[in-house]
């Protein structure tokens, strides 16, 4: 008998071990799959941020319209966030995450599709160039300008090209693809974190969330490397003979293989969705138990039918719930601390989102760096810096057990230091390039008050040049000319990128002694002084990023403590909605609109409409780009000081050192914060919504 009992206990023990193993394996599989989805969404976000300038040039659109495309991610996210947050936990969460990854991948692929339907990219719209012909035949000089006039596109061809170029409205597919990506990304964070919180061992949730965020950083690393590589490749690689392309990656007309990044990230997202469709809704129950529970559920149907009468009573509660919602919202909006916190974080995050969206354009236009170089530098430098800053910020707060006001003061201190370093950017603005016809007269001897309608000089007035053409050449006097014809060049030698123009009359009158009045294709490079400023800019960028990340890791605790406990979830949800709507969507648009105001030379489409900007006034660009960001951050700092002053009065005598219980509350707050969609994925494009988000953090996730 004793032996029989022993055998039963052994069997029960073995059964228990199997269940634990099954649970462990199912949960570990979910963690592995979720890790890949975190990498996928971060990769997609950073690819979009890095490609926004390339998209602007490829589709011949303004920066403000490119900003709208970038903000479409948040639009898609907002469309489904309420549905996902409310119904997600009641449905099959792993499958919902899998569907989200599938939609996210489909959106990325849809973003890349216009490339395959738009035909070849023509970087010179003023002349009709076939990719197979010798492209130097379209380069007009002063002497042969009229002879080559027959090579210009006839009105009939222009009309056909205009109709075909209405395909440039294909930017709408990019808009919709990015919106789909936002829709697909929505369930990954909230449902993934809630699943972990439900089924992880007690006290292990924070560890798993931290591990996911750390693994998610692989996405931006891969994104920056791929983005740098693809930016070097010509957009039509594999379709045209690259030896016929006469522009280089440093040319303002260069478009890299932007579509390759979206194909890679799309396929990766779709692949990451597959494991979720094979995971159980509840890892604690094996398949047989779930079938048994389903049978029991059917047997209980009759009992449930008897309870349908209660639905009438529940319906009466709907009106009460709606009324309670508006009362809760009113309570939040009449809480001065909460309103100030929402406003100051909106200002901060708007500054960072707008800055990061156009930082690649800024580095290209201000310092003459190619997109490939800018992508690589930002990826290599900022990601380790931000990761180190985040870790150190959390360590300092736990080490010194800072109080609630102490945490706010620490965050304010790091923000002030970061702001002071931000001011150093202004002396690092380079002078505008010397461009005849935009910043100088065509003879290169005098500066002009405005770049609009600069009159021709005697050195090129008889050349019958097309003033709308943008085919820049660099004279050996260090001045850039809009075209060989406007430089007064009369002859040329060489082919493609090595073409050199001679006897340039506008170069001649600048007083060169060696009488070698020549020019070569491309804009003149930045001088050594500007290059030195660029290296200082990168160093300041590292320090600025570090301080921003150090103070911006735990301020979600502030939301939890400044509102009533029962309003905690609503407070974070409303905060998320405001940040996404007014920050994620609007910031790239108004940053782009102001940047457009600094443009000196626009391209012209085949329809004669304004296209993308070719060159900006460096001084005005720097003042607008940095000035807008600085103004937003300064306003946020002023509100932050008022916020701490009011909070200190309110919590006078109540605010104690952070205890173990409070740190547990902080962990729970972070989990709930993540459940509401404001997860932190470093540089996910985007789209990261921390209190003190760095310029390079957005991405993430977008």
């Amino acid at each position: 008998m004793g032996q029989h009992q022993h055998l039963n206990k052994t069997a029960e023990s073995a059964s228990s071990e199997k269940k634990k193993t099954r649970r462990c394996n199912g949960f570990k599989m979910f963690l592995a799959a979720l890790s890949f989805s975190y990498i996928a969404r971060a990769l997609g976000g950073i690819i979009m941020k890095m490609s926004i300038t390339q998209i602007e040039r490829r589709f011949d659109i303004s920066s403000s319209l490119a900003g709208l495309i970038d903000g479409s991610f948040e639009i898609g996210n907002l469309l489904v966030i309420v549905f996902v947050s409310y119904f997600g936990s009641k449905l099959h969460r792993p499958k919902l995450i899998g569907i989200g990854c599938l939609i996210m991948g489909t959106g990325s692929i849809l973003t890349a599709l216009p490339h395959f339907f738009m035909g070849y990219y023509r970087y010179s719209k003023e002349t009709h160039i076939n990719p197979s012909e010798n492209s130097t035949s379209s380069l007009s000089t002063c002497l042969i300008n009229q002879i080559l006039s027959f090579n210009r596109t006839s009105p009939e061809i222009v009309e056909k090209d205009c109709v075909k170029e209405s395909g440039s409205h294909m930017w709408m597919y990019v808009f919709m693809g990015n919106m789909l990506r936002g829709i697909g990304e929505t369930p990954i964070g909230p449902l993934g974190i809630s699943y972990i919180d439900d089924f992880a061992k007690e006290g292990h949730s924070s560890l798993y969330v931290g591990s996911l965020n750390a693994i998610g950083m692989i996405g931006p690393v891969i994104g920056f490397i791929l983005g740098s590589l693809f930016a070097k490749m010509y957009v039509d690689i594999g379709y045209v003979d690259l030896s016929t392309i006469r522009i280089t990656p440093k040319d303002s007309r260069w478009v890299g293989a932007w579509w390759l990044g979206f194909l890679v990230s799309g396929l990766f997202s779709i692949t990451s969705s597959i494991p979720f469709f094979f995971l159980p809704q509840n890892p604690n129950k094996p398949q047989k138990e779930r079938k048994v529970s389903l049978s029991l559920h059917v047997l209980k149907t009759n009992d449930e039918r008897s309870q349908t009468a209660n639905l009438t009573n529940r319906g009466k509660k709907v009106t009460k719930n709606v009324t309670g919602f508006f009362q809760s919202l009113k309570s939040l909006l009449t809480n001065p601390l909460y309103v100030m916190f929402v406003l100051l974080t909106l200002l901060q995050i708007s500054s960072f989102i707008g800055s990061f969206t156009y930082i690649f354009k800024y580095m290209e236009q201000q310092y003459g760096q190619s997109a490939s170089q800018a992508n690589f530098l930002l990826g290599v430098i900022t990601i380790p810096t931000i990761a180190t800053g985040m870790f150190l910020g959390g360590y300092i707060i736990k080490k010194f057990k800072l109080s609630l006001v102490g945490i706010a003061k620490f965050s304010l201190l790091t923000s002030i230091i970061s702001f002071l370093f931000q001011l150093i950017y202004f002396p690092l603005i380079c002078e505008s390039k010397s461009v005849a016809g935009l910043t100088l007269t065509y003879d290169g001897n005098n500066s002009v008050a405005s770049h609009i309608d600069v009159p021709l000089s005697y050195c090129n007035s008889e050349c019958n040049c097309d003033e709308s053409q943008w085919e820049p050449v660099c004279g050996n006097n260090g001045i850039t000319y809009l075209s060989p014809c406007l430089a007064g060049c009369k002859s040329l030698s060489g082919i493609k990128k090595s073409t050199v123009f001679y006897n340039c009359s506008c170069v001649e009158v600048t007083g060169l002694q060696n009488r070698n009045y020549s020019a070569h294709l491309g804009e003149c490079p930045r001088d050594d002084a500007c290059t030195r400023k660029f290296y200082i800019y990168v160093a300041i960028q590292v320090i600025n990023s570090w301080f921003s990340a150090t103070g911006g890791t735990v301020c979600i605790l502030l939301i939890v403590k400044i509102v009533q406990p029962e309003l905690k979830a609503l407070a974070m949800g409303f905060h998320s909605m405001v940040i996404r709507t007014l920050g994620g969507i609007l910031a790239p648009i108004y940053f782009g609109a102001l940047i457009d105001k600094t443009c000196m030379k626009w391209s012209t489409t085949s329809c004669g409409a304004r296209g993308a900007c070719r060159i900006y006034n460096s001084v005005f660009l720097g003042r607008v780009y940095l000035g807008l960001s600085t103004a937003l951050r300064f306003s946020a700092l002023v509100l932050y000081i008022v916020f701490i002053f009011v909070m200190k009065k309110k919590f006078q005598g109540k605010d104690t050192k952070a205890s173990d219980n409070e740190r547990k509350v902080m962990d729970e707050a972070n989990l709930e914060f993540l459940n509401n969609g404001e997860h932190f994925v470093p540089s996910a494009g985007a789209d990261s919504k921390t209190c003190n988000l760095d310029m390079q953090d957005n991405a993430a996730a977008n």
Side-chain angles (χ1 to χ4, degrees):
M1 187 73 178
Q3 187 177 1
H4 182 67
Q5 289 178 346
H6 177 72
L7 290 173
N8 285 339
K9 288 181 180 180
T10 305
E12 288 175 4
S13 176
S15 176
S16 176
E17 288 296 326
K18 284 183 179 180
K19 288 181 180 179
K20 287 182 179 179
T21 303
R22 190 179 293 111
R23 173 185 174 182
C24 182
N25 290 341
F27 187 71
K28 284 184 177 179
M29 286 288 291
F30 178 81
L31 281 179
L34 192 63
S35 299
F36 277 103
S37 69
Y38 264 57
I39 295 172
R41 72 171 186 177
L43 175 61
I46 204 66
I47 288 291
M48 171 53 75
K49 291 293 184 185
M50 295 169 66
S51 303
I52 200 69
T53 301
Q54 311 286 322
I55 290 171
E56 180 182 329
R57 293 172 184 171
R58 181 64 182 96
F59 294 93
D60 255 336
I61 57 178
S62 63
S63 294
S64 56
L65 187 52
L68 176 63
I69 292 174
D70 183 68
S72 63
F73 176 89
E74 300 291 355
I75 296 174
N77 206 291
L78 285 170
L79 288 176
V80 296
I81 186 67
V82 174
F83 172 83
V84 168
S85 298
Y86 185 76
F87 294 103
S89 59
K90 300 175 175 62
L91 302 174
H92 197 299
R93 283 177 285 185
K95 286 186 178 179
L96 275 181
I97 295 173
I99 292 170
C101 290
L102 190 62
I103 294 174
M104 188 168 62
T106 304
S108 293
I109 292 175
L110 177 61
T111 302
L113 280 184
H115 167 76
F116 300 98
F117 301 107
M118 288 186 67
Y120 297 120
Y121 171 58
R122 296 192 306 168
Y123 48 84
S124 183
K125 298 287 187 348
E126 294 79 16
T127 52
H128 186 71
I129 305 170
N130 189 302
S132 62
E133 71 182 39
N134 189 331
S135 59
T136 56
S137 64
S138 64
L139 295 171
S140 58
T141 61
C142 183
L143 182 65
I144 60 175
N145 184 62
Q146 295 182 6
I147 300 175
L148 286 179
S149 61
F150 67 88
N151 280 337
R152 294 191 180 174
T153 314
S154 65
E156 292 80 9
I157 296 177
V158 168
E159 186 175 350
K160 288 181 180 179
D161 286 342
C162 185
V163 174
K164 185 177 180 180
E165 198 159 301
S166 62
S168 62
H169 291 300
M170 284 188 174
W171 64 263
M172 294 180 182
Y173 290 96
V174 180
F175 179 92
M176 290 187 292
N178 200 35
M179 186 186 293
L180 267 183
R181 196 172 62 82
I183 292 172
E185 186 266 355
T186 306
I188 295 175
L191 301 189
I193 300 301
S194 66
Y195 193 91
I196 290 174
D197 196 31
D198 287 344
F199 300 116
K201 291 181 180 179
E202 186 70 27
H204 284 61
S205 298
S206 298
L207 175 64
Y208 291 137
V209 171
S211 300
L212 281 173
N213 287 329
I215 293 171
M217 293 189 73
I218 297 174
V221 171
I222 297 173
F224 277 115
I225 293 173
L226 291 180
S228 178
L229 178 64
F230 295 151
K232 290 180 182 178
M233 302 178 182
Y234 186 64
V235 60
D236 291 322
I237 186 170
Y239 295 93
V240 299
D241 182 3
L242 296 182
S243 64
T244 64
I245 307 302
R246 62 173 182 264
I247 60 174
T248 65
K250 288 196 174 184
D251 195 294
S252 62
R253 295 165 294 175
W254 177 270
V255 175
W258 61 275
W259 50 277
L260 275 174
F262 289 103
L263 286 183
V264 171
S265 65
L267 292 174
F268 189 85
S269 295
I270 292 173
T271 304
S272 70
S273 72
I274 297 173
F276 289 105
F277 295 103
F278 300 95
L279 292 173
Q281 183 175 3
N282 184 346
N284 296 336
K285 294 183 180 180
Q287 188 69 23
K288 289 182 180 179
E289 287 184 26
R290 289 198 298 275
K291 288 181 179 178
V292 170
S293 64
L294 182 62
S295 301
L296 293 174
H297 175 73
V298 173
L299 292 175
K300 292 178 182 178
T301 302
N302 293 331
D303 293 334
E304 291 178 357
R305 286 173 182 170
S306 65
Q307 299 174 2
T308 54
N310 293 332
L311 292 176
T312 304
N313 294 330
R314 291 178 186 175
K316 293 179 181 179
K317 294 180 181 178
V318 172
T319 304
K320 185 178 179 180
N321 289 337
V322 172
T323 304
F325 169 77
F326 283 109
Q327 287 176 345
S328 299
L329 187 61
K330 180 182 177 181
S331 178
L332 281 180
L333 297 180
T334 54
N335 182 339
L337 276 178
Y338 179 75
V339 172
M340 277 191 287
F341 184 81
V342 170
L343 288 177
L344 73 88
T345 50
L346 173 62
L347 291 170
Q348 277 186 320
I349 292 172
S350 294
S351 169
F352 296 134
I353 290 175
S355 298
F356 183 59
T357 301
Y358 298 103
I359 190 171
F360 302 102
K361 177 192 286 288
Y362 181 76
M363 292 175 71
E364 287 181 58
Q365 291 289 333
Q366 188 67 237
Y367 300 108
Q369 302 297 311
S370 67
S372 176
Q373 291 170 319
N375 294 344
F376 182 76
L377 279 172
L378 284 177
V380 168
I381 293 173
T382 58
I383 290 179
T385 303
I386 292 169
T388 305
M390 289 171 59
F391 173 80
L392 185 63
Y395 175 78
I396 289 174
I397 289 170
K398 285 197 172 185
K399 174 72 175 176
F400 296 99
K401 298 182 179 179
L402 297 179
S403 64
L404 183 65
V405 176
I407 291 173
K409 287 181 178 179
F410 174 71
S411 182
L412 174 63
L413 176 63
T414 56
S415 296
I416 290 174
I417 296 174
S418 175
F419 177 78
L420 293 176
F421 278 104
Q422 170 96 2
L423 298 179
I424 301 176
Y425 290 145
F426 286 94
L428 300 178
I429 296 175
C430 294
E431 292 296 323
S432 293
K433 287 184 177 181
S434 298
V435 183
L438 294 178
T439 62
L440 300 172
T441 55
Y442 280 103
D443 59 17
N445 289 328
N446 302 295
S447 59
V448 295
S450 172
H451 63 273
I452 301 173
D453 297 328
V454 177
L456 296 174
S457 177
Y458 59 87
C459 63
N460 59 12
S461 58
E462 297 180 358
C463 294
N464 192 28
C465 301
D466 181 2
E467 295 181 54
S468 67
Q469 188 177 20
W470 176 257
E471 192 67 61
V473 294
C474 178
N476 59 352
N477 57 353
I479 296 175
T480 299
Y481 297 85
L482 303 183
S483 69
C485 181
L486 288 169
C489 301
K490 298 177 177 62
S491 61
L492 72 161
S493 66
I495 58 173
K496 312 300 182 299
K497 298 174 186 177
S498 59
T499 303
V500 179
F501 301 87
Y502 299 100
N503 300 321
C504 304
S505 55
C506 290
V507 178
E508 178 180 356
V509 296
T510 56
L512 287 175
Q513 300 299 319
N514 58 7
R515 302 185 66 80
N516 180 21
Y517 314 129
S518 62
H520 61 270
L521 278 175
E523 297 177 47
C524 295
R526 285 291 192 178
D527 56 20
D528 293 338
C530 188
T531 303
R532 286 194 295 271
K533 287 183 177 181
F534 171 70
Y535 293 129
I536 299 173
Y537 171 84
V538 171
I540 299 300
Q541 185 76 16
V542 171
I543 300 172
N544 195 356
S545 301
W546 187 82
F547 277 106
S548 293
T550 301
T553 54
V554 291
C555 61
I556 185 56
L557 182 61
L558 296 175
I559 289 186
V560 177
K561 301 295 279 185
I562 62 178
V563 299
Q564 297 95 314
E566 66 273 13
L567 299 179
K568 183 172 62 174
L570 179 61
M572 291 187 289
F574 183 79
H575 179 264
S576 173
M577 185 190 70
V578 171
I579 297 302
R580 288 181 180 277
T581 305
L582 301 182
I585 297 174
L586 292 184
I589 296 175
Y590 61 73
F591 262 82
L594 287 176
I595 287 173
D596 285 337
K597 298 291 184 183
T598 68
C599 182
M600 294 193 296
K601 180 70 175 178
W602 294 91
S603 67
T604 305
T605 67
S606 297
C607 301
R610 193 181 80 174
C613 186
R614 295 305 189 200
I615 187 171
Y616 294 85
N617 185 309
S618 299
V619 176
F620 291 160
L621 174 64
R623 289 174 182 172
V624 166
Y625 174 79
L626 297 175
L628 180 56
S629 176
T630 303
L632 291 171
R633 294 184 69 176
F634 178 76
S635 303
L637 286 178
V638 173
L639 272 177
Y640 216 148
I641 293 171
V642 176
F643 172 80
I644 291 177
F645 178 77
V646 175
M647 185 172 64
K648 195 172 181 180
K649 287 185 66 177
K650 182 175 180 180
F651 290 97
Q652 192 84 33
K654 300 178 184 178
D655 198 18
T656 58
K657 297 290 182 182
S659 63
D660 291 337
N661 288 335
E662 184 154 78
R663 283 195 293 272
K664 184 179 178 182
V665 169
M666 182 173 137
D667 289 339
E668 291 174 355
N670 280 321
L671 283 174
E672 186 158 353
F673 179 62
L674 294 167
N675 281 327
N676 278 277
E678 292 195 359
H679 40 276
F680 179 82
V681 178
S683 63
D687 301 329
S688 306
K689 302 294 182 295
T690 55
C691 179
N692 208 357
L693 187 65
D694 184 77
M695 215 184 294
Q696 284 73 43
D697 295 346
N698 185 36
N702 309 232

